[in-house]
């Protein structure tokens, strides 16, 4: 599985985003421990706080299918002017199934923009290990 495959999956998922209020479509694709790719897209709501992010939707899909680890995740959003990094809540949701070293590929419609890690995005994080 190449990075390009994961980036293409995120870019494709983005096309199905439901974002009539912000107009900001986001797609996410993650690779699990069995080599499977799970995708998601943001789903907004007329009651604004009830919308969900692309990363959250992809994680829910992974869990539904029995995946337990995020090996790598790609997020595709924006127009290249700003990096579409995961929001704070999604960083924590990714953290639940990932490590500091987990790659987070930040993309836009033209492809990869930045190759980060979860540890860089969410340093000194609190995770399942903290609960023993
Ligand atoms: N959004 C995501 O889906 N993922 C991110 O990482 C950042 C923001 C969505 C939420 C909302 O539907 C829209 O982008 C604008 O904030």
């Amino acid at each position: 599985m190449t990075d390009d495959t994961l980036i293409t999956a995120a870019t494709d998922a983005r096309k199905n985003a439901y974002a009539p209020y912000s107009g900001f479509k986001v797609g996410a694709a993650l690779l699990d421990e069995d080599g499977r790719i799970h995708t998601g897209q943001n789903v907004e709501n007329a009651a604004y706080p009830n919308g969900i992010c692309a990363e959250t939707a992809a994680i829910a899909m992974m869990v539904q299918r029995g995946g337990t680890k995020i090996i790598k995740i790609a997020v595709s959003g924006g127009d290249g002017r700003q990096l579409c990094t995961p929001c704070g809540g999604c960083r924590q949701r990714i953290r639940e199934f990932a490590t500091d070293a987990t790659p987070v590929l930040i993309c836009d419609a033209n492809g990869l923009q930045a190759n980060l890690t979860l540890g860089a995005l969410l340093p000194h994080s609190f995770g399942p290990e903290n609960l023993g």
Side-chain angles (χ1 to χ4, degrees), residues 32-34 36 38 61-69:
D32 77 7
E33 73 272 26
D34 291 326
R36 299 176 299 177
H38 309 282
M61 186 67 80
M62 180 189 80
V63 172
Q64 163 63 23
R65 291 172 173 162
T68 62
K69 288 186 176 62

Side-chain angles (χ1 to χ4, degrees), residues 75-104:
V75 180
S76 179
D79 58 8
R81 281 180 295 183
Q82 296 271 339
L83 293 181
C84 182
T85 49
C87 76
C90 283
R91 293 176 198 203
Q92 184 65 38
R93 292 185 190 98
I94 295 166
R95 169 67 181 90
E96 187 71 16
F97 304 100
T99 70
D100 279 355
T102 303
V104 181

Side-chain angles (χ1 to χ4, degrees), residues 18-19 22 24-26 41-44 52-55 75 84-87 90:
Y18 177 73
S22 72
F24 193 85
K25 295 186 169 193
V26 184
Q41 70 299 312
N42 53 338
V43 183
E44 296 185 347
I52 63 166
C53 288
E55 298 90 326
V75 180
C84 182
T85 49
C87 76
C90 283

